[in-house]
Structure formats: structure tokens, C-alpha cells
Amino acid sequence: MNAFIIEDEELLQEEISAYLTERGFNCEAASTYEKAERNISLFDYDIVILDITLPGGNGIELLKKMKREKKDTGIVIISARDSLTDKLSGLDLGADDYITKPFYMEELNARINAILRRRSLGINDIIRIDDLEVDTNAKTVFHGKTEITLTKKEYELLLYFIINKNRVVSKQSILAHLWGDEYADSESIDTIYVHTMNLRKKLVSHTGIDYIKTVYGMGYKWVQG
């Protein structure tokens, strides 16, 4: 997997690069808008970690450039906490995720892996599991012809489990992926439990199958044949 880290804070850039390299990524980096623009034009990457504020330009313009050139790249925006406008602009323009500084490397890694797995499924495709049908474009879930009504978080949790099927996912990784900066809240673990149990009950009541297994002391696993 090839990662391109666009970040002008040298220490953070080096930390991200070292962390991802240890996890098997081939990393390239740029600290200026000019270099980032040149590399984006010349090379293709599996994942781009994109800072918004750069010497010589704005990361949003780089995002627009990637979308104009139809780059098949997962994009995570990283920026300061107070950049709400940039966050909304980036997501509207097609970024896959957004993480605010400061953040844990484990959280960034969880976001990246979720993007890569989601893209490997084909994000605009219909996902079928037995008689379950998940439309990732319309964000609906059906069992046969009956729609299963889920909250936004239950839907996101369902998709996260499916993306990680047959893998144990920790409560911490679920928090990092679904709640981002709110994941450190002291009540977050209980929140994960409640959302998971509600999702589990809805799926069992419609399908008769308990796809979500508790792995005690570790987290949860989506199990299917």
C-alpha cells in the first residue's frame, strides 16, 4: 500500500511516516503545497493524509485536484480543531474522513484501515449477506423486502462490522472510527455497548441470526458463513 503524507509539521510528518511504515505502507511525504501538487499529478496512492494549512496553498485545493483527475485514492484530512468550515468543505468535496489534531496514531490507523476495507468492498455497491441487503449509497438495510430501521450510529456500526467481518474489533477501535474526537469520553465504552446491543437485537429479530459475537475481554466479531 502506498501512502502520501501531506503535512508541514516536520515532527508529525515523521511520526505518521514511521508509524505507517512499520505497518507495511510505502510512505512518501510533502511539506509544501507545490511538492504535494507535483506528486499528486505524477503518482497514484492508496491513501493520502492531507493537512489543510500548507505553505504555498490550501489542502482543499489539492483535494479538488484529486477529484478532478478522478484519482482512486482514499483521503483523510487532518487539521486543527477549530477548522469546522474546512472539515465540512472537505467532506462535501469527497474526502473519506477527517481527524483533528492532536490525535493518536492508533486512531489514524483505524480510520485508514476502515477506508481501505470499505473501498475494497466497493462503496457504492449493494452488499448482500444471506438475506440482508445493505445499500451503501442510499444507506438503507433490508431483510428480504422489509427495511430494518437503524439509527445513524447503528448503520455506521453495522458497516464497520461488515468491513471487518471475521475479525475481532476492539471497543477502542469502534470508538475511534465512529466517534473520533469524542472517543475519550468516560462514558463512551457504555455507549458502544448500548449501540451494539440495539443493533444486535434488531438484526436477530429480523433475520433470526446473531451475526455479532462478543469476544470477552477483546471486543466483537461479525461472523458469517
Tab-separated table of all heavy atoms in Angstrom, residues 2 5 25 40 42 54 62 65-66 73 96-97 113 116-117 147-148 157 171 174 191 200 202 208:
chain	number	residue	atom	x	y	z
A	2	ASN	N	0.514	2.210	-0.822
A	2	ASN	CA	1.280	3.446	-0.925
A	2	ASN	C	0.537	4.589	-0.240
A	2	ASN	O	-0.632	4.849	-0.536
A	2	ASN	CB	1.519	3.801	-2.393
A	2	ASN	CG	2.350	2.744	-3.091
A	2	ASN	OD1	3.371	2.305	-2.584
A	2	ASN	ND2	1.906	2.328	-4.269
A	5	ILE	N	1.836	11.458	2.641
A	5	ILE	CA	1.573	12.268	3.823
A	5	ILE	C	1.871	13.728	3.493
A	5	ILE	O	3.031	14.091	3.249
A	5	ILE	CB	2.442	11.803	5.010
A	5	ILE	CG1	2.201	10.321	5.285
A	5	ILE	CG2	2.157	12.647	6.252
A	5	ILE	CD1	3.334	9.627	5.989
A	25	PHE	N	3.215	0.108	4.965
A	25	PHE	CA	2.965	1.102	3.927
A	25	PHE	C	4.291	1.606	3.343
A	25	PHE	O	5.284	1.752	4.062
A	25	PHE	CB	2.197	2.304	4.488
A	25	PHE	CG	0.739	2.046	4.742
A	25	PHE	CD1	0.321	1.490	5.944
A	25	PHE	CD2	-0.211	2.354	3.779
A	25	PHE	CE1	-1.029	1.257	6.186
A	25	PHE	CE2	-1.563	2.130	4.013
A	25	PHE	CZ	-1.963	1.577	5.217
A	40	ILE	N	0.994	14.515	-6.609
A	40	ILE	CA	-0.363	14.066	-6.920
A	40	ILE	C	-0.572	13.944	-8.426
A	40	ILE	O	-1.261	13.040	-8.905
A	40	ILE	CB	-1.389	15.044	-6.298
A	40	ILE	CG1	-1.457	14.824	-4.789
A	40	ILE	CG2	-2.768	14.868	-6.919
A	40	ILE	CD1	-2.252	15.879	-4.054
A	42	LEU	N	1.805	13.244	-10.602
A	42	LEU	CA	2.690	12.233	-11.191
A	42	LEU	C	2.396	10.814	-10.718
A	42	LEU	O	2.636	9.861	-11.457
A	42	LEU	CB	4.148	12.574	-10.870
A	42	LEU	CG	4.715	13.844	-11.512
A	42	LEU	CD1	6.126	14.117	-10.981
A	42	LEU	CD2	4.735	13.715	-13.029
A	54	LEU	N	-1.104	24.631	4.443
A	54	LEU	CA	0.222	24.300	3.918
A	54	LEU	C	0.926	25.553	3.440
A	54	LEU	O	0.274	26.499	2.973
A	54	LEU	CB	0.105	23.325	2.731
A	54	LEU	CG	-0.479	21.947	3.011
A	54	LEU	CD1	-0.819	21.263	1.700
A	54	LEU	CD2	0.503	21.107	3.824
A	62	LEU	N	-5.926	20.901	-3.184
A	62	LEU	CA	-5.344	19.610	-3.573
A	62	LEU	C	-6.424	18.536	-3.644
A	62	LEU	O	-6.409	17.673	-4.530
A	62	LEU	CB	-4.258	19.199	-2.579
A	62	LEU	CG	-3.018	20.082	-2.539
A	62	LEU	CD1	-2.101	19.650	-1.393
A	62	LEU	CD2	-2.250	20.016	-3.864
A	65	LYS	N	-8.245	18.970	-6.801
A	65	LYS	CA	-7.425	18.494	-7.913
A	65	LYS	C	-7.520	16.975	-8.043
A	65	LYS	O	-7.685	16.444	-9.151
A	65	LYS	CB	-5.971	18.901	-7.701
A	65	LYS	CG	-5.007	18.428	-8.780
A	65	LYS	CD	-3.583	18.894	-8.490
A	65	LYS	CE	-2.596	18.386	-9.527
A	65	LYS	NZ	-2.873	18.898	-10.881
A	66	MET	N	-7.438	16.262	-6.921
A	66	MET	CA	-7.534	14.797	-6.960
A	66	MET	C	-8.887	14.352	-7.488
A	66	MET	O	-8.988	13.378	-8.241
A	66	MET	CB	-7.271	14.219	-5.568
A	66	MET	CG	-5.796	14.207	-5.175
A	66	MET	SD	-5.464	13.382	-3.593
A	66	MET	CE	-5.787	14.727	-2.441
A	73	THR	N	-8.271	7.278	-4.794
A	73	THR	CA	-7.446	7.400	-3.600
A	73	THR	C	-8.308	7.643	-2.376
A	73	THR	O	-9.235	8.450	-2.418
A	73	THR	CB	-6.458	8.589	-3.753
A	73	THR	OG1	-5.646	8.372	-4.900
A	73	THR	CG2	-5.576	8.736	-2.524
A	96	ASP	N	-12.724	11.087	2.501
A	96	ASP	CA	-13.341	9.925	3.138
A	96	ASP	C	-13.513	10.097	4.642
A	96	ASP	O	-14.412	9.509	5.240
A	96	ASP	CB	-12.499	8.677	2.863
A	96	ASP	CG	-12.467	8.324	1.389
A	96	ASP	OD1	-13.433	7.721	0.916
A	96	ASP	OD2	-11.484	8.678	0.706
A	97	ASP	N	-12.624	10.880	5.246
A	97	ASP	CA	-12.696	11.037	6.690
A	97	ASP	C	-11.938	12.294	7.086
A	97	ASP	O	-11.225	12.891	6.277
A	97	ASP	CB	-12.109	9.815	7.405
A	97	ASP	CG	-12.740	9.563	8.769
A	97	ASP	OD1	-13.336	10.502	9.335
A	97	ASP	OD2	-12.631	8.427	9.267
A	113	ASN	N	-7.501	2.100	7.819
A	113	ASN	CA	-7.876	0.715	7.518
A	113	ASN	C	-9.352	0.589	7.166
A	113	ASN	O	-9.726	-0.177	6.272
A	113	ASN	CB	-7.534	-0.184	8.705
A	113	ASN	CG	-6.059	-0.435	8.848
A	113	ASN	OD1	-5.312	-0.353	7.878
A	113	ASN	ND2	-5.607	-0.723	10.052
A	116	LEU	N	-9.777	1.798	3.558
A	116	LEU	CA	-9.254	0.848	2.574
A	116	LEU	C	-10.153	-0.373	2.448
A	116	LEU	O	-10.407	-0.859	1.341
A	116	LEU	CB	-7.829	0.434	2.949
A	116	LEU	CG	-6.781	1.555	2.867
A	116	LEU	CD1	-5.434	1.057	3.385
A	116	LEU	CD2	-6.638	2.079	1.444
A	117	ARG	N	-10.666	-0.859	3.567
A	117	ARG	CA	-11.562	-2.015	3.510
A	117	ARG	C	-12.887	-1.650	2.861
A	117	ARG	O	-13.453	-2.424	2.086
A	117	ARG	CB	-11.790	-2.568	4.923
A	117	ARG	CG	-10.553	-3.226	5.513
A	117	ARG	CD	-10.847	-3.818	6.872
A	117	ARG	NE	-9.598	-4.235	7.502
A	117	ARG	CZ	-9.188	-3.825	8.697
A	117	ARG	NH1	-9.928	-2.996	9.405
A	117	ARG	NH2	-8.045	-4.241	9.196
A	147	GLU	N	-37.573	-3.318	5.348
A	147	GLU	CA	-36.467	-2.443	5.758
A	147	GLU	C	-36.245	-2.555	7.263
A	147	GLU	O	-37.194	-2.569	8.043
A	147	GLU	CB	-36.752	-0.985	5.392
A	147	GLU	CG	-35.590	-0.056	5.741
A	147	GLU	CD	-35.748	1.354	5.205
A	147	GLU	OE1	-36.828	1.653	4.639
A	147	GLU	OE2	-34.811	2.149	5.356
A	148	ILE	N	-34.974	-2.644	7.639
A	148	ILE	CA	-34.595	-2.632	9.046
A	148	ILE	C	-34.230	-1.191	9.394
A	148	ILE	O	-33.263	-0.641	8.858
A	148	ILE	CB	-33.408	-3.571	9.327
A	148	ILE	CG1	-33.743	-5.007	8.883
A	148	ILE	CG2	-33.034	-3.534	10.802
A	148	ILE	CD1	-32.587	-5.978	9.027
A	157	LEU	N	-22.127	1.449	12.526
A	157	LEU	CA	-21.569	0.315	13.259
A	157	LEU	C	-21.730	-0.978	12.468
A	157	LEU	O	-20.793	-1.795	12.381
A	157	LEU	CB	-22.269	0.203	14.613
A	157	LEU	CG	-21.757	-0.844	15.602
A	157	LEU	CD1	-20.288	-0.625	15.914
A	157	LEU	CD2	-22.585	-0.797	16.883
A	171	LYS	N	-13.399	-2.365	21.291
A	171	LYS	CA	-14.287	-1.230	21.549
A	171	LYS	C	-13.552	0.081	21.278
A	171	LYS	O	-14.156	1.052	20.821
A	171	LYS	CB	-14.794	-1.285	22.991
A	171	LYS	CG	-15.729	-2.466	23.235
A	171	LYS	CD	-16.155	-2.559	24.685
A	171	LYS	CE	-17.055	-3.771	24.896
A	171	LYS	NZ	-17.451	-3.941	26.312
A	174	ILE	N	-13.667	0.827	17.571
A	174	ILE	CA	-15.013	1.286	17.200
A	174	ILE	C	-15.190	2.752	17.603
A	174	ILE	O	-15.693	3.571	16.824
A	174	ILE	CB	-16.090	0.416	17.867
A	174	ILE	CG1	-16.028	-1.019	17.330
A	174	ILE	CG2	-17.480	1.002	17.630
A	174	ILE	CD1	-16.909	-1.999	18.082
A	191	THR	N	-21.523	3.517	25.814
A	191	THR	CA	-22.253	3.897	24.600
A	191	THR	C	-22.088	2.840	23.523
A	191	THR	O	-23.053	2.471	22.846
A	191	THR	CB	-21.755	5.259	24.083
A	191	THR	OG1	-21.979	6.244	25.086
A	191	THR	CG2	-22.486	5.659	22.806
A	200	ARG	N	-27.714	-5.458	17.459
A	200	ARG	CA	-27.783	-6.927	17.530
A	200	ARG	C	-29.237	-7.402	17.644
A	200	ARG	O	-29.660	-8.322	16.934
A	200	ARG	CB	-26.975	-7.370	18.747
A	200	ARG	CG	-26.496	-8.801	18.738
A	200	ARG	CD	-25.525	-8.967	19.894
A	200	ARG	NE	-24.967	-10.309	19.956
A	200	ARG	CZ	-23.980	-10.640	20.782
A	200	ARG	NH1	-23.443	-9.736	21.589
A	200	ARG	NH2	-23.524	-11.875	20.783
A	202	LYS	N	-31.996	-5.826	16.742
A	202	LYS	CA	-32.741	-5.552	15.510
A	202	LYS	C	-32.432	-6.589	14.433
A	202	LYS	O	-33.342	-7.057	13.730
A	202	LYS	CB	-32.418	-4.150	15.000
A	202	LYS	CG	-33.003	-3.035	15.855
A	202	LYS	CD	-32.657	-1.653	15.314
A	202	LYS	CE	-33.238	-0.560	16.202
A	202	LYS	NZ	-32.945	0.804	15.691
A	208	GLY	N	-33.205	-13.685	12.495
A	208	GLY	CA	-33.092	-14.899	13.296
A	208	GLY	C	-31.657	-15.350	13.476
A	208	GLY	O	-31.405	-16.423	14.044
